[in-house]
């Protein structure tokens, strides 16, 4: 090791607090723009990946952004629901496979997604533990939900009431966890999936209650209509579907009128997609069809405009940090003036003294780059979790 390197290392180690402070300052100045660019790039990649695998989304006319975000990311939005009649209409056209979605409720702050088994095949979701949906009251949870709530197959998960003060509203349902999904690094990891009929039970369209005997349970009978008995609101309803009470659950009304919030449409071929878009591209149609890719592109254009402001702010911060570091080095040179004079009197040339100063700077910048690389490598490992936590 040369004398310059030895003296530089000994000086930096002796003044370790000053060295660590300078390394951290330089690291932050480099890290801020790197993290911003890395985060935006990953955010764009995740958004486009989800949108590219979702050909079409259908729902009632309204906010296109709310419709796309709720259908792809299960965000809670106040969307006007459509009905199963529209699902059957699209099914009968033979143009696309409709996958209905009902996203209106939550369970421990995780969105409850009512859908069909076609959704699992469409998203290529795999069951890591347990089985798929089997009967009413069953749910399959994402891996993040299972980890956060410490749930496994066989446990119970209660849905959240919409309003705890509304006694006439929906009844929370205690769902049976039958499966845990393998990690997909998507919003599916943070959702609770149930059958559509289970979602309708949570909403109050269907329910189960004890059998009523008009002769013995007179206090629970509202009126007698021939062979049928109409019970009043005092009849206790089941809040869990079990093998014993499964047969008592029933629905009121025609299934064609039951609500779904939106549909994912998977056209069978490009021609069918064009025909389907043309069928609903009328003023008379209450249904709108959107391409999620177009919606996401609009969102990204807005994000990039905001990013320009962050870039300008980051540039100003970097300049400020650079000027501050320059001031620190200038003051350090002034404080070390006697040290340089002593080294010069001992026989060191002025060029050697400046080489020592430049070597210190190189060590500080090299250490800062190493810190940035380590933090970036850690970020790559946890990028999907961080993106879901902060953005999605």
């Amino acid at each position: 090791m040369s004398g310059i390197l030895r003296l530089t290392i000994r000086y930096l180690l002796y003044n370790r607090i000053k060295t660590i402070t300078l390394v951290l300052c330089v690291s932050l100045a480099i890290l801020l723009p790197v993290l911003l660019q890395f985060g935006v790039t990953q955010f764009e990649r995740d958004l486009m990946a989800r949108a590219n695998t979702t050909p079409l989304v259908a729902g009632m006319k309204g906010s296109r952004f709310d419709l796309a975000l709720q259908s792809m990311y299960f965000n809670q939005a106040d969307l006007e629901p459509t009905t199963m009649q529209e699902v059957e209409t699209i099914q009968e056209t033979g143009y696309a496979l409709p996958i209905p979605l009902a996203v209106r409720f939550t369970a421990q702050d995780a969105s409850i997604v009512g859908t069909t088994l076609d959704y699992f095949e469409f998203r290529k979701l795999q069951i890591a533990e347990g089985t798929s949906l089997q009967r009413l009251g069953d749910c399959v949870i994402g891996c993040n939900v299972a980890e956060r709530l410490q749930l496994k197959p066989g446990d119970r998960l209660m849905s959240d009431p919409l309003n705890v003060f509304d006694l006439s509203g929906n009844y929370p349902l205690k769902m049976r966890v039958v499966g845990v999904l393998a990690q997909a690094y998507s919003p599916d990891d943070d959702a609770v999936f149930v059958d559509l009929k289970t979602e309708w039970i949570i909403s109050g369209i269907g329910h189960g209650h004890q059998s009523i005997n008009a002769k013995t349970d007179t206090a629970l009978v509202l009126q007698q209509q021939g062979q049928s008995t109409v019970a009043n609101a005092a009849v206790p309803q089941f809040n869990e579907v079990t093998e014993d009470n499964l047969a008592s659950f029933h629905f009121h009304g025609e299934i064609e009128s039951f609500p779904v919030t939106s549909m994912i449409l998977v056209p069978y071929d490009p021609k069918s997609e064009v025909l389907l878009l043309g069928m609903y591209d009328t003023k008379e149609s209450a249904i709108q069809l959107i391409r999620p890719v177009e919606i996401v592109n609009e969102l990204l254009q807005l994000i990039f405009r905001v990013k320009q402001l962050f870039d300008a702010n980051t540039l100003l911060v970097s300049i400020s940090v650079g000027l501050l570091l320059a001031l620190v080095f200038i003051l350090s040179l002034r404080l070390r003036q006697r040290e340089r004079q002593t080294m010069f009197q001992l026989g060191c040339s002025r060029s050697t003294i400046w080489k020592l100063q430049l070597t210190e700077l190189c060590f500080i910048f090299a250490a800062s780059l190493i810190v940035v690389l380590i933090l970036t490598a850690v970020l790559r490992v946890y990028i999907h979790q961080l993106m879901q936590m902060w953005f999605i």
Side-chain angles (χ1 to χ4, degrees):
M1 182 182 296
S2 66
I4 293 179
L5 291 178
R6 183 182 295 108
L7 287 175
T8 301
I9 294 174
R10 295 294 295 271
Y11 176 81
L12 293 176
L13 292 177
Y14 181 79
N15 299 276
R16 58 177 60 89
I17 296 179
K18 170 189 170 183
T19 303
I20 294 174
T21 303
L22 291 176
V23 169
L24 292 178
C25 290
V26 176
S27 299
L28 288 176
I30 300 174
L31 190 63
L32 286 176
V34 171
L35 288 183
L36 180 61
Q37 184 62 39
F38 189 74
V40 170
T41 302
Q42 187 64 39
F43 181 60
E44 178 185 6
R45 185 181 297 115
D46 290 346
L47 279 179
M48 293 305 299
R50 189 76 168 178
N52 287 328
T53 57
T54 309
L56 295 173
V57 170
M60 295 294 288
K61 286 186 175 179
S63 173
R64 298 179 299 118
F65 295 100
D66 285 344
L67 179 60
L69 292 177
Q70 187 179 62
S71 302
M72 292 190 295
Y73 303 103
F74 313 133
N75 294 344
Q76 296 295 320
D78 188 16
L79 294 178
E80 182 181 356
T82 183
T83 62
M84 285 297 295
Q85 179 63 53
E86 296 294 341
V87 178
E88 294 179 2
T89 299
I90 295 177
Q91 181 74 50
E92 291 171 357
T93 62
Y95 295 152
L97 170 67
I99 304 176
L101 298 174
V103 186
R104 296 182 293 172
F105 304 99
T106 60
Q108 298 293 317
D109 297 327
S111 294
I112 297 177
V113 182
T115 186
T116 62
L117 294 179
D118 291 329
Y119 182 84
F120 297 94
E121 182 178 355
F122 169 67
R123 293 294 187 196
K124 297 180 174 57
L125 301 178
Q126 302 293 327
I127 302 294
E129 186 179 359
T131 62
S132 186
L133 302 174
Q134 298 175 346
R135 61 165 173 81
L136 285 177
D138 287 353
C139 70
V140 173
I141 60 178
C143 60
N144 291 344
V145 178
E147 182 178 358
R148 177 169 64 89
L149 301 179
Q150 296 297 304
L151 295 175
K152 61 183 182 301
D155 292 339
R156 298 296 187 269
L157 177 62
M158 182 74 77
S159 64
D160 301 327
L162 288 180
N163 189 344
V164 295
F165 302 105
D166 184 9
L167 299 179
S168 62
N170 66 304
Y171 288 90
L173 180 68
K174 183 183 293 185
M175 300 172 289
R176 182 182 67 164
V177 179
V178 296
V180 178
L181 294 174
Q183 191 166 35
Y185 298 106
S186 71
D188 301 317
D189 296 335
D190 298 288
V192 177
F193 294 94
V194 299
D195 182 72
L196 279 174
K197 291 183 178 180
T198 301
E199 202 273 348
W200 293 332
I201 290 176
I202 298 174
S203 67
I205 298 176
H207 61 264
H209 52 71
Q210 69 182 44
S211 301
I212 303 300
N213 189 314
K215 296 181 180 180
T216 60
D217 301 321
T218 56
L220 302 178
V221 176
L222 182 63
Q223 61 179 336
Q224 185 74 28
Q225 297 177 348
Q227 298 296 326
S228 62
T229 301
V230 180
N232 58 34
V235 178
Q237 297 185 9
F238 298 123
N239 69 340
E240 181 180 5
V241 182
T242 64
E243 296 294 342
D244 296 331
N245 63 22
L246 177 61
S248 70
F249 279 84
H250 56 280
F251 297 88
H252 297 280
E254 299 295 332
I255 191 172
E256 291 82 4
S257 64
F258 292 172
V260 293
T261 54
S262 62
M263 295 172 279
I264 295 176
L265 306 182
V266 186
Y268 295 119
D269 52 61
K271 179 181 178 181
S272 298
E273 181 178 356
V274 174
L275 292 173
L276 195 61
L277 289 169
M279 186 174 72
Y280 286 96
D281 189 17
T282 61
K283 294 182 179 180
E284 294 76 15
S285 175
I287 301 296
Q288 63 174 337
L289 267 64
I290 61 173
R291 286 192 174 98
V293 172
E294 297 176 357
I295 303 300
V296 171
N297 280 328
E298 291 184 35
L299 289 174
L300 288 176
Q301 289 177 6
L302 178 61
I303 291 173
F304 287 139
R305 291 177 185 175
V306 177
K307 179 178 176 294
Q308 292 176 355
L309 298 177
F310 279 102
D311 288 340
N313 180 71
T314 302
L315 178 62
L316 294 176
V317 171
S318 299
I319 293 175
S320 300
V321 173
L323 293 175
L324 180 61
L325 292 176
L327 178 62
V328 170
F329 285 122
I330 292 173
L331 293 176
S332 177
L333 290 176
R334 286 183 175 274
L335 292 174
R336 298 173 63 186
Q337 185 174 2
R338 294 181 59 185
E339 176 186 335
R340 292 197 304 274
Q341 291 177 353
T342 301
M343 295 177 64
F344 181 73
Q345 292 174 355
L346 290 175
C348 288
S349 63
R350 296 188 183 275
S351 61
T352 302
I353 296 174
W354 284 109
K355 286 180 182 179
L356 283 172
Q357 305 292 332
L358 292 176
T359 305
E360 291 177 13
L361 289 177
C362 291
F363 267 100
I364 290 173
F365 279 103
S368 301
L369 289 176
I370 292 174
V371 172
V372 171
L373 290 175
I374 292 175
L375 292 178
T376 304
V378 173
L379 181 65
R380 282 183 174 274
V381 176
Y382 299 101
I383 185 64
H384 293 286
Q385 292 86 338
L386 293 175
M387 295 303 295
Q388 290 181 14
M389 183 188 306
W390 291 343
F391 299 106
I392 302 178

